[in-house]
Amino acid sequence: MAVNGLKLSVLWIRRTIVKFTWRLWGLVLIVVTVYIGIIGYIRLDSSQRLRKEFYKTWKNDYVVAVNQKQSLINTSDTGHKVSALSEAQGYGMLISVQASKLSLEGPHTFNKLYQYYMHHRIKGTQLMAWRQSRNKYGKWSSEQTSATDGDLMIAQSLFLASKKWPQKTDYANQLRLLLNDILKYETNQHTQVLTVGNWATPTSNSANLMRSSDVMPTAFEQFYKFSHNRQWLVIKTAMLNRLFQLSEKHKSGLVPDFAWVTQHSTSPAKSTRIPDKYANDYYYNACRVPMLLAQSHDPLAQKTLTSMLHFFAKHSTVTAGYTMSGKPLNDYQSASFSAPLLMATSWHRNQGYDSLFFHEQWIFAKAMTKHDYYNATLTMYAIMFSHI
């Protein structure tokens, strides 16, 4: 009887221990879940505050009201002049529509930037005149040629705006017109590669010149989704192939600012043929390529990007510009080069580039520059479109 009582006591103790253990693990699980939730909330809140603070600074420094209905992105590096570029307008429109998607503001900034674009189209086309400037005497001048990267970004911003504000049918209607004119005036029909601008006509010496930062696979996919015109997919494939060929030519995997293209191949854009000392270097155009490839699921885009990130991951510091062999052109850092890499690596976490992702976060620790539109705007773009 005593033995049976002892057995029952032991059994009761065991059951009690099991119950206590399960309850303890349950408590631990609750604590861990709450902790992860808090950390996730803090991280999300921190990222939102970061975006809000940087956006407020960038907007105050670079968004300039022309009148009550129009605003431009000021690219001048001096306090007494104002200048606009179609490229800058495109970035501004992309950043402002993303700000609205993130609930940082309403549609007002985007619409004013849009209205400025609408009032500065090249006569007879939907393309934006690539530069306008106002001197210290208040006189404006405008150059009536286009830059393809600006038109592409304006078109992409209109695509995003048409999704964000579907009731605003003007955005979709204008996007359709602009896409048609990009295909008409800024596409080499022989190579199916976008030209650098409407001035690079079939009879010009620049007809086969490609800007590496015009390779925007995500935008091309969006344009096809919107228009159902398969030419955008043909352009995407053709331009990604040329970019991949450029990357494969060197162990660094880097691509140059410009290249000459044919139907099936590419060759370096030597500065002897175009007035650009750094045409065949990874410089202030090509530095944008990583962020332009980051969001695309196209295997060729990812293969090219992986080669580039592999090169940069070997360096503790990324400097401003490189030769195709991987030799630094300068000994200083620049947000124009670091911000696109931050964005690219944020989309590829836990893939071997996390140290590069953390290194490039130095751009958050510095105050945004007041008179360096390119640095400030690429930083702002990266913050808006990164997974941080």
Side-chain angles (χ1 to χ4, degrees), residues 86-306:
S86 60
E87 164 206 283
Q89 208 69 11
Y91 277 125
M93 292 168 72
L94 282 168
I95 290 167
S96 60
V97 71
Q98 185 70 356
S100 293
K101 288 179 68 175
L102 295 171
S103 302
L104 297 178
E105 73 159 345
H108 311 295
T109 300
F110 176 84
N111 194 57
K112 288 183 178 181
L113 293 170
Y114 166 72
Q115 291 298 333
Y116 182 87
Y117 149 66
M118 291 292 287
H119 282 80
H120 291 85
R121 289 169 292 172
I122 296 171
K123 187 176 180 180
T125 79
Q126 307 303 319
L127 310 177
M128 183 173 172
W130 83 278
R131 183 169 66 180
Q132 303 86 48
S133 58
R134 184 182 69 193
N135 63 24
K136 60 183 179 181
Y137 303 108
K139 185 177 179 180
W140 282 93
S141 61
S142 182
E143 299 188 31
Q144 295 297 298
T145 54
S146 74
T148 303
D149 52 352
D151 291 322
L152 289 172
M153 287 188 286
I154 290 170
Q156 188 176 28
S157 76
L158 288 171
F159 173 84
L160 297 178
S162 69
K163 297 294 183 183
K164 172 64 180 171
W165 303 292
Q167 72 280 6
K168 186 79 172 175
T169 57
D170 289 359
Y171 297 149
N173 293 336
Q174 184 57 32
L175 171 58
R176 187 172 289 105
L177 296 172
L178 177 55
L179 291 180
N180 288 340
D181 274 4
I182 292 173
L183 294 178
K184 183 178 180 179
Y185 297 110
E186 297 177 333
T187 304
N188 185 319
Q189 302 299 334
H190 183 64
T191 62
Q192 289 301 312
V193 167
L194 296 178
T195 64
V196 291
N198 69 337
W199 50 273
T201 61
T203 57
S204 75
N205 293 330
S206 301
N208 294 321
L209 186 64
M210 184 183 87
R211 183 189 293 110
S212 59
S213 53
D214 286 346
V215 185
M216 304 182 188
T218 301
F220 300 154
E221 291 158 10
Q222 291 168 339
F223 299 161
Y224 168 69
K225 183 178 179 181
F226 173 82
S227 67
H228 305 293
N229 186 338
R230 293 194 64 84
Q231 189 174 3
W232 287 110
L233 298 183
V234 173
I235 288 171
K236 183 188 84 164
T237 300
M239 295 189 76
L240 280 176
N241 274 320
R242 301 301 168 276
L243 198 70
F244 178 68
Q245 289 170 356
L246 290 168
S247 177
E248 270 203 319
K249 288 179 183 293
H250 306 278
K251 289 182 180 179
S252 66
L254 297 178
V255 297
D257 276 5
F258 295 96
W260 297 106
V261 300
T262 67
Q263 274 188 302
H264 305 291
S265 64
T266 63
S267 58
K270 299 289 187 180
S271 57
T272 52
R273 290 187 63 185
I274 59 174
D276 187 338
K277 179 182 177 181
Y278 299 103
N280 195 40
D281 293 318
Y282 182 84
Y283 214 50
Y284 280 88
N285 275 296
C287 66
R288 301 181 284 182
V289 170
M291 72 183 189
L292 298 173
L293 300 181
Q295 299 177 63
S296 175
H297 297 294
D298 189 288
L300 206 53
Q302 289 306 308
K303 195 170 183 179
T304 305
L305 177 61
T306 297

Side-chain angles (χ1 to χ4, degrees), residues 310-367:
H310 186 67
F311 167 79
F312 288 115
K314 296 176 182 178
H315 297 73
S316 58
T317 301
V318 174
T319 56
Y322 292 85
T323 65
M324 289 299 93
S325 63
K327 180 183 177 182
L329 292 169
N330 298 292
D331 59 1
Y332 57 85
Q333 290 179 289
S334 168
S336 298
F337 291 80
S338 291
L341 290 173
L342 172 75
M343 179 180 162
T345 51
S346 78
W347 283 80
H348 293 78
R349 300 298 304 277
N350 304 314
Q351 295 181 29
Y353 312 116
D354 285 357
S355 60
L356 179 60
F357 171 74
F358 290 115
H359 284 159
E360 300 317 289
Q361 290 188 36
W362 68 266
I363 63 174
F364 299 150
K366 297 190 69 174

